Amino acid sequence: MPLHHPLMASFRCFARMGAISALALTASSAARSADANPPALRAVDALTRPIAVDLAPRWLVPAGPINIFGSTWLVGFTHLNVVMIVTDDGLILIDAGLPQAAPLVEASLKSAGFSIQDVKYILSTEPHYDHAGGIAALASASGAKVMASAAAAPVLRAGRSGAEDPQRSSLFTYPSVSRVTVVRDGQRIRLGNVVVTAHATPGHTPGSMSWSWSSCTRSAEGDVHTCADIDRPPPSGPGCLLV
Ligand SMILES: [Zn+2]
């Protein structure tokens, strides 16, 4: 089912609609969506129960929605990114924040005019609690397919790291993700008009995965990369945006 949203007019390359009219549609669409889609996530239940409460405040200050370029948005927090990619067949999220952050991510989506049910894929950069703790809640509410590397998938399914992760003694457990699709290095994932490429970047965790895609505005196109903590220099150069 294609995603029918007026914002898509500004996300397709070289769309006929002007930027000003697209922005005007943004506001009215957000109002309609907020009325039509009550929140699916509750602040406290089994999947959103707070963890890491002493550390959490710095990762729970909302900083979105921010449209950073074309179809790419930030819907996360001041010290922890959650990326949203808008396609013409639904939304892709990259990471989810803490379990208790999931209702805030949903609220950010609604502020941008979308519904949690629009989320089709959730991609993971690393299976630690601060980035992946909220994936189970967001996947449950949306029905989205969760994708991660072969090394990260079993950690997400368990909600805890194993002996392969030297940081495990300092990590919090988090709600396990029942179904995870394994993605290999270099694999291309298509949703609607957007193709995201997986880049294995082990280092911070054995299963760390970075992701890249092309993002368009009315008159320009650029490559966007989101990087896990990595052991090699991130991509850079003209037309390249690192989030
Ligand atoms: Zn980490």
Side-chain angles (χ1 to χ4, degrees):
M1 174 78 71
L3 178 62
H4 298 294
H5 190 289
L7 284 173
M8 286 308 305
S10 63
F11 297 152
R12 292 193 181 103
C13 291
F14 316 117
R16 284 185 218 132
M17 181 176 287
I20 293 175
S21 58
L23 284 173
L25 284 167
T26 301
S28 61
S29 171
R32 281 197 307 275
S33 180
D35 293 337
N37 297 292
L41 287 164
R42 288 178 294 168
V44 178
D45 67 15
L47 298 182
T48 59
R49 186 169 298 128
I51 63 171
V53 292
D54 291 338
L55 299 171
R58 59 183 161 149
W59 297 321
L60 291 172
V61 179
I66 301 170
N67 181 215
I68 58 170
F69 187 80
S71 58
T72 303
W73 294 64
L74 296 179
V75 292
F77 307 92
T78 53
H79 289 81
L80 195 140
N81 280 339
V82 177
V83 175
M84 177 177 79
I85 308 169
V86 181
T87 84
D88 60 8
D89 203 20
L91 305 176
I92 300 170
L93 292 184
I94 301 178
D95 285 342
L98 293 160
Q100 61 266 45
L104 301 174
V105 173
E106 181 188 19
S108 192
L109 296 184
K110 288 172 66 72
S111 293
F114 299 99
S115 161
I116 188 69
Q117 284 81 21
D118 294 328
V119 180
K120 304 305 179 189
Y121 294 160
I122 301 174
L123 313 180
S124 173
T125 62
E126 64 164 78
H128 282 171
Y129 67 94
D130 47 345
H131 297 271
I135 289 178
L138 292 173
S140 175
S142 64
K145 179 183 287 189
V146 177
M147 300 185 187
S149 70
V155 182
L156 293 172
R157 294 186 190 114
R160 68 179 69 225
S161 296
E164 78 289 346
D165 190 336
Q167 300 180 71
R168 66 187 182 284
S169 63
S170 63
L171 299 172
F172 292 84
T173 61
Y174 55 88
S176 58
V177 183
S178 57
R179 281 181 292 190
V180 182
T181 299
V182 171
V183 176
R184 69 181 183 282
D185 181 35
Q187 186 169 336
R188 291 158 59 87
I189 301 159
R190 174 177 288 279
L191 182 65
N193 60 335
V194 172
V195 176
V196 178
T197 302
H199 306 274
T201 48
H204 177 65
T205 73
S208 291
M209 188 74 95
S210 300
W211 308 91
S212 67
W213 61 97
S214 289
S215 199
C216 299
T217 67
R218 180 171 174 266
S219 58
E221 180 176 1
D223 294 332
V224 185
H225 298 256
T226 182
C227 291
D229 289 342
I230 56 177
D231 58 357
R232 64 190 187 208
S236 62
C240 180
L241 180 64
L242 186 66
V243 296

